[in-house]
mmCIF file of all heavy atoms in Angstrom:
data_model
loop_
_atom_site.group_PDB
_atom_site.id
_atom_site.type_symbol
_atom_site.label_atom_id
_atom_site.label_comp_id
_atom_site.label_asym_id
_atom_site.label_seq_id
_atom_site.Cartn_x
_atom_site.Cartn_y
_atom_site.Cartn_z
ATOM 1 N N LYS A 1 -3.262 -5.219 -12.552
ATOM 2 C CA LYS A 1 -2.475 -6.267 -11.852
ATOM 3 C C LYS A 1 -1.055 -6.343 -12.388
ATOM 4 O O LYS A 1 -0.204 -7.049 -11.855
ATOM 5 C CB LYS A 1 -3.149 -7.560 -11.985
ATOM 6 C CG LYS A 1 -4.469 -7.501 -10.974
ATOM 7 C CD LYS A 1 -5.148 -8.921 -11.061
ATOM 8 C CE LYS A 1 -6.459 -8.896 -10.284
ATOM 9 N NZ LYS A 1 -7.575 -8.383 -11.107
ATOM 10 N N MET A 2 -0.837 -5.683 -13.597
ATOM 11 C CA MET A 2 0.562 -5.681 -14.080
ATOM 12 C C MET A 2 1.471 -5.102 -13.054
ATOM 13 O O MET A 2 2.656 -5.473 -12.981
ATOM 14 C CB MET A 2 0.703 -4.798 -15.363
ATOM 15 C CG MET A 2 0.233 -5.341 -16.639
ATOM 16 S SD MET A 2 1.110 -6.692 -17.302
ATOM 17 C CE MET A 2 2.640 -5.706 -17.831
ATOM 18 N N GLY A 3 1.021 -4.254 -12.165
ATOM 19 C CA GLY A 3 1.783 -3.750 -11.092
ATOM 20 C C GLY A 3 2.380 -4.735 -10.200
ATOM 21 O O GLY A 3 3.501 -4.596 -9.610
ATOM 22 N N ILE A 4 1.737 -5.922 -10.025
ATOM 23 C CA ILE A 4 2.191 -7.006 -9.172
ATOM 24 C C ILE A 4 3.315 -7.752 -9.920
ATOM 25 O O ILE A 4 4.311 -8.243 -9.308
ATOM 26 C CB ILE A 4 1.090 -7.995 -8.886
ATOM 27 C CG1 ILE A 4 -0.016 -7.267 -7.989
ATOM 28 C CG2 ILE A 4 1.623 -9.192 -8.175
ATOM 29 C CD1 ILE A 4 -1.239 -8.035 -7.779
ATOM 30 N N GLU A 5 3.174 -7.860 -11.180
ATOM 31 C CA GLU A 5 4.093 -8.770 -11.993
ATOM 32 C C GLU A 5 5.445 -8.132 -12.328
ATOM 33 O O GLU A 5 6.392 -8.759 -12.585
ATOM 34 C CB GLU A 5 3.380 -9.152 -13.289
ATOM 35 C CG GLU A 5 2.138 -9.883 -13.030
ATOM 36 C CD GLU A 5 1.351 -10.182 -14.306
ATOM 37 O OE1 GLU A 5 1.994 -10.395 -15.346
ATOM 38 O OE2 GLU A 5 0.079 -10.166 -14.269
ATOM 39 N N LEU A 6 5.650 -6.805 -12.343
ATOM 40 C CA LEU A 6 6.777 -6.102 -12.836
ATOM 41 C C LEU A 6 7.849 -5.915 -11.746
ATOM 42 O O LEU A 6 9.036 -6.032 -12.084
ATOM 43 C CB LEU A 6 6.424 -4.781 -13.536
ATOM 44 C CG LEU A 6 5.486 -5.048 -14.754
ATOM 45 C CD1 LEU A 6 5.069 -3.674 -15.303
ATOM 46 C CD2 LEU A 6 6.011 -5.989 -15.756
ATOM 47 N N PRO A 7 7.549 -5.544 -10.535
ATOM 48 C CA PRO A 7 8.628 -5.353 -9.495
ATOM 49 C C PRO A 7 9.541 -6.538 -9.317
ATOM 50 O O PRO A 7 10.755 -6.383 -9.105
ATOM 51 C CB PRO A 7 7.855 -4.845 -8.281
ATOM 52 C CG PRO A 7 6.622 -4.186 -8.743
ATOM 53 C CD PRO A 7 6.178 -5.067 -9.988
ATOM 54 N N PRO A 8 8.999 -7.778 -9.336
ATOM 55 C CA PRO A 8 9.880 -8.966 -9.259
ATOM 56 C C PRO A 8 10.899 -9.010 -10.340
ATOM 57 O O PRO A 8 11.976 -9.656 -10.169
ATOM 58 C CB PRO A 8 8.884 -10.146 -9.321
ATOM 59 C CG PRO A 8 7.633 -9.651 -8.734
ATOM 60 C CD PRO A 8 7.549 -8.277 -9.319
ATOM 61 N N LEU A 9 10.622 -8.317 -11.434
ATOM 62 C CA LEU A 9 11.603 -8.242 -12.486
ATOM 63 C C LEU A 9 12.563 -7.095 -12.415
ATOM 64 O O LEU A 9 13.425 -6.864 -13.280
ATOM 65 C CB LEU A 9 10.884 -8.070 -13.900
ATOM 66 C CG LEU A 9 9.920 -9.321 -14.199
ATOM 67 C CD1 LEU A 9 9.179 -8.953 -15.430
ATOM 68 C CD2 LEU A 9 10.603 -10.632 -14.306
ATOM 69 N N GLY A 10 12.490 -6.324 -11.270
ATOM 70 C CA GLY A 10 13.318 -5.178 -11.080
ATOM 71 C C GLY A 10 12.825 -3.851 -11.675
ATOM 72 O O GLY A 10 13.543 -2.928 -11.854
ATOM 73 N N ILE A 11 11.534 -3.882 -12.254
ATOM 74 C CA ILE A 11 10.992 -2.735 -12.911
ATOM 75 C C ILE A 11 10.292 -1.826 -11.959
ATOM 76 O O ILE A 11 9.322 -2.271 -11.313
ATOM 77 C CB ILE A 11 10.145 -3.171 -14.056
ATOM 78 C CG1 ILE A 11 10.898 -4.084 -15.092
ATOM 79 C CG2 ILE A 11 9.502 -2.053 -14.777
ATOM 80 C CD1 ILE A 11 9.976 -4.809 -16.033
ATOM 81 N N PRO A 12 10.743 -0.578 -11.797
ATOM 82 C CA PRO A 12 9.997 0.330 -10.913
ATOM 83 C C PRO A 12 8.586 0.673 -11.346
ATOM 84 O O PRO A 12 8.403 0.863 -12.550
ATOM 85 C CB PRO A 12 10.912 1.649 -10.961
ATOM 86 C CG PRO A 12 12.205 1.223 -11.499
ATOM 87 C CD PRO A 12 11.861 0.109 -12.485
ATOM 88 N N VAL A 13 7.678 0.614 -10.512
ATOM 89 C CA VAL A 13 6.295 0.883 -10.870
ATOM 90 C C VAL A 13 5.835 1.995 -9.914
ATOM 91 O O VAL A 13 5.832 2.101 -8.789
ATOM 92 C CB VAL A 13 5.392 -0.354 -10.528
ATOM 93 C CG1 VAL A 13 3.904 -0.055 -10.807
ATOM 94 C CG2 VAL A 13 5.830 -1.536 -11.470
ATOM 95 N N ILE A 14 5.238 3.040 -10.698
ATOM 96 C CA ILE A 14 4.595 4.165 -10.096
ATOM 97 C C ILE A 14 3.042 3.900 -10.039
ATOM 98 O O ILE A 14 2.449 3.562 -11.125
ATOM 99 C CB ILE A 14 4.847 5.442 -10.928
ATOM 100 C CG1 ILE A 14 6.303 5.707 -11.004
ATOM 101 C CG2 ILE A 14 4.042 6.647 -10.330
ATOM 102 C CD1 ILE A 14 6.612 6.765 -12.041
ATOM 103 N N VAL A 15 2.546 3.912 -8.847
ATOM 104 C CA VAL A 15 1.111 3.535 -8.610
ATOM 105 C C VAL A 15 0.226 4.847 -8.433
ATOM 106 O O VAL A 15 0.526 5.532 -7.516
ATOM 107 C CB VAL A 15 0.904 2.679 -7.442
ATOM 108 C CG1 VAL A 15 -0.546 2.291 -7.224
ATOM 109 C CG2 VAL A 15 1.651 1.311 -7.678
ATOM 110 N N ALA A 16 -0.662 5.056 -9.304
ATOM 111 C CA ALA A 16 -1.449 6.339 -9.312
ATOM 112 C C ALA A 16 -2.818 6.077 -8.654
ATOM 113 O O ALA A 16 -3.383 7.123 -8.238
ATOM 114 C CB ALA A 16 -1.609 6.978 -10.644
ATOM 115 N N GLY A 17 -3.309 4.956 -8.791
ATOM 116 C CA GLY A 17 -4.653 4.514 -8.146
ATOM 117 C C GLY A 17 -4.427 3.676 -6.830
ATOM 118 O O GLY A 17 -3.299 3.623 -6.355
ATOM 119 N N ASP A 18 -5.490 3.158 -6.406
ATOM 120 C CA ASP A 18 -5.380 2.300 -5.151
ATOM 121 C C ASP A 18 -5.145 0.887 -5.596
ATOM 122 O O ASP A 18 -6.116 0.047 -5.430
ATOM 123 C CB ASP A 18 -6.603 2.545 -4.312
ATOM 124 C CG ASP A 18 -6.585 3.922 -3.647
ATOM 125 O OD1 ASP A 18 -5.447 4.352 -3.393
ATOM 126 O OD2 ASP A 18 -7.660 4.472 -3.466
ATOM 127 N N SER A 19 -4.028 0.623 -6.171
ATOM 128 C CA SER A 19 -3.602 -0.739 -6.566
ATOM 129 C C SER A 19 -3.326 -1.665 -5.527
ATOM 130 O O SER A 19 -3.044 -1.287 -4.377
ATOM 131 C CB SER A 19 -2.392 -0.574 -7.493
ATOM 132 O OG SER A 19 -1.963 -1.797 -7.959
ATOM 133 N N TRP A 20 -3.316 -3.003 -5.809
ATOM 134 C CA TRP A 20 -3.082 -4.022 -4.941
ATOM 135 C C TRP A 20 -1.613 -3.820 -4.247
ATOM 136 O O TRP A 20 -1.453 -4.277 -3.135
ATOM 137 C CB TRP A 20 -3.088 -5.327 -5.623
ATOM 138 C CG TRP A 20 -4.295 -5.696 -6.224
ATOM 139 C CD1 TRP A 20 -4.668 -5.630 -7.484
ATOM 140 C CD2 TRP A 20 -5.536 -6.206 -5.458
ATOM 141 N NE1 TRP A 20 -5.972 -6.154 -7.743
ATOM 142 C CE2 TRP A 20 -6.509 -6.416 -6.479
ATOM 143 C CE3 TRP A 20 -5.778 -6.508 -4.274
ATOM 144 C CZ2 TRP A 20 -7.755 -6.927 -6.150
ATOM 145 C CZ3 TRP A 20 -7.080 -7.005 -3.911
ATOM 146 C CH2 TRP A 20 -8.059 -7.131 -4.893
ATOM 147 N N ILE A 21 -0.687 -3.231 -5.004
ATOM 148 C CA ILE A 21 0.648 -3.152 -4.406
ATOM 149 C C ILE A 21 0.999 -1.805 -3.691
ATOM 150 O O ILE A 21 1.973 -1.680 -3.056
ATOM 151 C CB ILE A 21 1.690 -3.271 -5.531
ATOM 152 C CG1 ILE A 21 1.747 -2.200 -6.589
ATOM 153 C CG2 ILE A 21 1.515 -4.682 -6.151
ATOM 154 C CD1 ILE A 21 2.850 -2.165 -7.489
ATOM 155 N N ARG A 22 -0.030 -0.892 -3.717
ATOM 156 C CA ARG A 22 0.191 0.365 -2.902
ATOM 157 C C ARG A 22 0.470 0.092 -1.471
ATOM 158 O O ARG A 22 -0.145 -0.664 -0.809
ATOM 159 C CB ARG A 22 -1.127 1.200 -3.039
ATOM 160 C CG ARG A 22 -1.015 2.462 -2.236
ATOM 161 C CD ARG A 22 -2.329 3.247 -2.364
ATOM 162 N NE ARG A 22 -2.421 4.073 -3.592
ATOM 163 C CZ ARG A 22 -1.817 5.183 -3.869
ATOM 164 N NH1 ARG A 22 -0.934 5.645 -2.943
ATOM 165 N NH2 ARG A 22 -1.980 5.730 -5.036
ATOM 166 N N GLY A 23 1.571 0.810 -1.059
ATOM 167 C CA GLY A 23 1.923 0.693 0.343
ATOM 168 C C GLY A 23 2.533 -0.536 0.793
ATOM 169 O O GLY A 23 2.734 -0.771 2.017
ATOM 170 N N LYS A 24 2.948 -1.366 -0.132
ATOM 171 C CA LYS A 24 3.648 -2.700 0.295
ATOM 172 C C LYS A 24 5.168 -2.541 0.361
ATOM 173 O O LYS A 24 5.807 -3.443 0.736
ATOM 174 C CB LYS A 24 3.259 -3.728 -0.718
ATOM 175 C CG LYS A 24 1.810 -4.034 -0.821
ATOM 176 C CD LYS A 24 1.252 -4.645 0.473
ATOM 177 C CE LYS A 24 -0.106 -5.080 0.302
ATOM 178 N NZ LYS A 24 -1.272 -4.074 0.233
ATOM 179 N N GLY A 25 5.659 -1.385 0.034
ATOM 180 C CA GLY A 25 7.088 -1.095 0.126
ATOM 181 C C GLY A 25 8.026 -1.427 -1.069
ATOM 182 O O GLY A 25 9.179 -1.284 -1.057
ATOM 183 N N PHE A 26 7.423 -1.670 -2.221
ATOM 184 C CA PHE A 26 8.183 -1.776 -3.473
ATOM 185 C C PHE A 26 7.539 -1.144 -4.643
ATOM 186 O O PHE A 26 7.867 -1.478 -5.789
ATOM 187 C CB PHE A 26 8.331 -3.354 -3.744
ATOM 188 C CG PHE A 26 7.058 -4.161 -3.783
ATOM 189 C CD1 PHE A 26 6.409 -4.275 -4.867
ATOM 190 C CD2 PHE A 26 6.576 -4.798 -2.613
ATOM 191 C CE1 PHE A 26 5.199 -4.986 -4.893
ATOM 192 C CE2 PHE A 26 5.465 -5.554 -2.720
ATOM 193 C CZ PHE A 26 4.725 -5.623 -3.834
ATOM 194 N N SER A 27 6.686 -0.106 -4.339
ATOM 195 C CA SER A 27 6.193 0.701 -5.513
ATOM 196 C C SER A 27 6.425 2.121 -5.149
ATOM 197 O O SER A 27 6.582 2.500 -3.900
ATOM 198 C CB SER A 27 4.733 0.398 -5.702
ATOM 199 O OG SER A 27 3.941 0.688 -4.662
ATOM 200 N N TYR A 28 6.263 3.076 -6.090
ATOM 201 C CA TYR A 28 6.355 4.424 -5.888
ATOM 202 C C TYR A 28 4.907 4.957 -6.012
ATOM 203 O O TYR A 28 4.254 4.965 -7.019
ATOM 204 C CB TYR A 28 7.180 5.159 -7.011
ATOM 205 C CG TYR A 28 8.618 4.822 -6.906
ATOM 206 C CD1 TYR A 28 9.191 3.716 -7.481
ATOM 207 C CD2 TYR A 28 9.431 5.681 -6.148
ATOM 208 C CE1 TYR A 28 10.522 3.439 -7.389
ATOM 209 C CE2 TYR A 28 10.785 5.425 -5.948
ATOM 210 C CZ TYR A 28 11.327 4.246 -6.517
ATOM 211 O OH TYR A 28 12.620 3.946 -6.358
ATOM 212 N N ASP A 29 4.350 5.264 -4.779
ATOM 213 C CA ASP A 29 2.953 5.570 -4.665
ATOM 214 C C ASP A 29 2.647 7.021 -4.703
ATOM 215 O O ASP A 29 3.234 7.925 -4.012
ATOM 216 C CB ASP A 29 2.460 5.075 -3.327
ATOM 217 C CG ASP A 29 2.605 3.630 -3.165
ATOM 218 O OD1 ASP A 29 2.763 2.813 -4.122
ATOM 219 O OD2 ASP A 29 2.569 3.135 -1.938
ATOM 220 N N VAL A 30 1.719 7.368 -5.612
ATOM 221 C CA VAL A 30 1.327 8.777 -5.827
ATOM 222 C C VAL A 30 0.313 9.083 -4.822
ATOM 223 O O VAL A 30 -0.648 8.345 -4.525
ATOM 224 C CB VAL A 30 0.636 8.969 -7.218
ATOM 225 C CG1 VAL A 30 0.094 10.400 -7.353
ATOM 226 C CG2 VAL A 30 1.690 8.671 -8.351
ATOM 227 N N ASN A 31 0.647 10.145 -3.990
ATOM 228 C CA ASN A 31 -0.340 10.640 -2.951
ATOM 229 C C ASN A 31 -0.117 12.054 -2.805
ATOM 230 O O ASN A 31 0.405 12.718 -3.673
ATOM 231 C CB ASN A 31 0.017 9.907 -1.666
ATOM 232 C CG ASN A 31 1.407 9.969 -1.152
ATOM 233 O OD1 ASN A 31 2.064 11.030 -1.332
ATOM 234 N ND2 ASN A 31 2.009 8.853 -0.735
ATOM 235 N N LYS A 32 -0.762 12.689 -1.774
ATOM 236 C CA LYS A 32 -0.631 14.108 -1.680
ATOM 237 C C LYS A 32 0.750 14.684 -1.512
ATOM 238 O O LYS A 32 1.031 15.743 -1.918
ATOM 239 C CB LYS A 32 -1.641 14.634 -0.522
ATOM 240 C CG LYS A 32 -3.065 14.439 -0.874
ATOM 241 C CD LYS A 32 -3.885 14.804 0.284
ATOM 242 C CE LYS A 32 -5.333 14.759 -0.083
ATOM 243 N NZ LYS A 32 -5.914 13.455 -0.269
ATOM 244 N N GLN A 33 1.628 13.887 -0.893
ATOM 245 C CA GLN A 33 3.024 14.318 -0.681
ATOM 246 C C GLN A 33 3.892 14.100 -1.842
ATOM 247 O O GLN A 33 4.776 14.808 -2.138
ATOM 248 C CB GLN A 33 3.623 13.534 0.560
ATOM 249 C CG GLN A 33 3.017 13.846 1.847
ATOM 250 C CD GLN A 33 1.658 13.180 2.070
ATOM 251 O OE1 GLN A 33 1.485 11.964 1.635
ATOM 252 N NE2 GLN A 33 0.793 13.822 2.751
ATOM 253 N N ASN A 34 3.569 12.930 -2.652
ATOM 254 C CA ASN A 34 4.442 12.562 -3.707
ATOM 255 C C ASN A 34 3.574 12.561 -5.038
ATOM 256 O O ASN A 34 2.806 11.643 -5.352
ATOM 257 C CB ASN A 34 5.079 11.172 -3.584
ATOM 258 C CG ASN A 34 5.962 11.149 -2.334
ATOM 259 O OD1 ASN A 34 6.864 11.868 -2.234
ATOM 260 N ND2 ASN A 34 5.667 10.154 -1.495
ATOM 261 N N SER A 35 3.651 13.664 -5.784
ATOM 262 C CA SER A 35 2.806 13.853 -6.946
ATOM 263 C C SER A 35 3.334 12.963 -8.027
ATOM 264 O O SER A 35 4.549 12.615 -8.145
ATOM 265 C CB SER A 35 2.716 15.271 -7.387
ATOM 266 O OG SER A 35 3.948 15.662 -7.899
ATOM 267 N N LEU A 36 2.509 12.642 -8.985
ATOM 268 C CA LEU A 36 2.975 11.893 -10.230
ATOM 269 C C LEU A 36 4.046 12.702 -10.960
ATOM 270 O O LEU A 36 4.978 12.144 -11.368
ATOM 271 C CB LEU A 36 1.717 11.735 -11.151
ATOM 272 C CG LEU A 36 1.994 10.892 -12.458
ATOM 273 C CD1 LEU A 36 2.678 9.597 -12.187
ATOM 274 C CD2 LEU A 36 0.722 10.844 -13.236
ATOM 275 N N GLU A 37 3.792 14.023 -11.086
ATOM 276 C CA GLU A 37 4.871 14.826 -11.637
ATOM 277 C C GLU A 37 6.189 14.773 -11.025
ATOM 278 O O GLU A 37 7.238 14.757 -11.669
ATOM 279 C CB GLU A 37 4.409 16.252 -11.838
ATOM 280 C CG GLU A 37 5.438 17.111 -12.613
ATOM 281 C CD GLU A 37 4.916 18.336 -13.205
ATOM 282 O OE1 GLU A 37 3.911 18.798 -12.886
ATOM 283 O OE2 GLU A 37 5.686 18.938 -14.081
ATOM 284 N N SER A 38 6.208 14.682 -9.655
ATOM 285 C CA SER A 38 7.514 14.613 -8.965
ATOM 286 C C SER A 38 8.264 13.310 -9.351
ATOM 287 O O SER A 38 9.455 13.302 -9.469
ATOM 288 C CB SER A 38 7.337 14.724 -7.478
ATOM 289 O OG SER A 38 6.679 13.707 -6.863
ATOM 290 N N TYR A 39 7.530 12.235 -9.474
ATOM 291 C CA TYR A 39 8.204 10.961 -9.753
ATOM 292 C C TYR A 39 8.680 11.053 -11.362
ATOM 293 O O TYR A 39 9.798 10.610 -11.633
ATOM 294 C CB TYR A 39 7.200 9.846 -9.821
ATOM 295 C CG TYR A 39 6.916 9.399 -8.303
ATOM 296 C CD1 TYR A 39 5.605 9.178 -7.900
ATOM 297 C CD2 TYR A 39 7.917 9.222 -7.407
ATOM 298 C CE1 TYR A 39 5.327 8.876 -6.501
ATOM 299 C CE2 TYR A 39 7.681 8.819 -6.068
ATOM 300 C CZ TYR A 39 6.386 8.576 -5.746
ATOM 301 O OH TYR A 39 6.232 8.262 -4.383
ATOM 302 N N ILE A 40 7.827 11.702 -12.185
ATOM 303 C CA ILE A 40 8.418 11.814 -13.643
ATOM 304 C C ILE A 40 9.607 12.752 -13.610
ATOM 305 O O ILE A 40 10.596 12.408 -14.282
ATOM 306 C CB ILE A 40 7.224 12.422 -14.511
ATOM 307 C CG1 ILE A 40 5.982 11.458 -14.531
ATOM 308 C CG2 ILE A 40 7.712 12.626 -15.894
ATOM 309 C CD1 ILE A 40 6.365 10.111 -14.881
#
């Protein structure tokens, strides 16, 4: 749930699992098109 608390502070969050914030428009979501390594 830290993923919910950090974007309001302007901190970019990369989501690798199926987190509460996935797909809400303010996280960097790891999926088949956007790998974790591409974000790093």
Side-chain angles (χ1 to χ4, degrees):
K1 290 181 188 84
M2 283 289 289
I4 296 171
E5 299 174 35
L6 300 176
L9 302 174
I11 300 168
V13 176
I14 301 168
V15 176
D18 290 327
S19 178
W20 299 102
I21 65 170
R22 177 182 281 282
K24 301 294 189 285
F26 53 87
S27 61
Y28 290 89
D29 302 340
V30 174
N31 54 41
K32 289 178 177 66
Q33 294 77 34
N34 299 304
S35 71
L36 180 56
E37 185 162 10
S38 70
Y39 287 131
I40 300 305

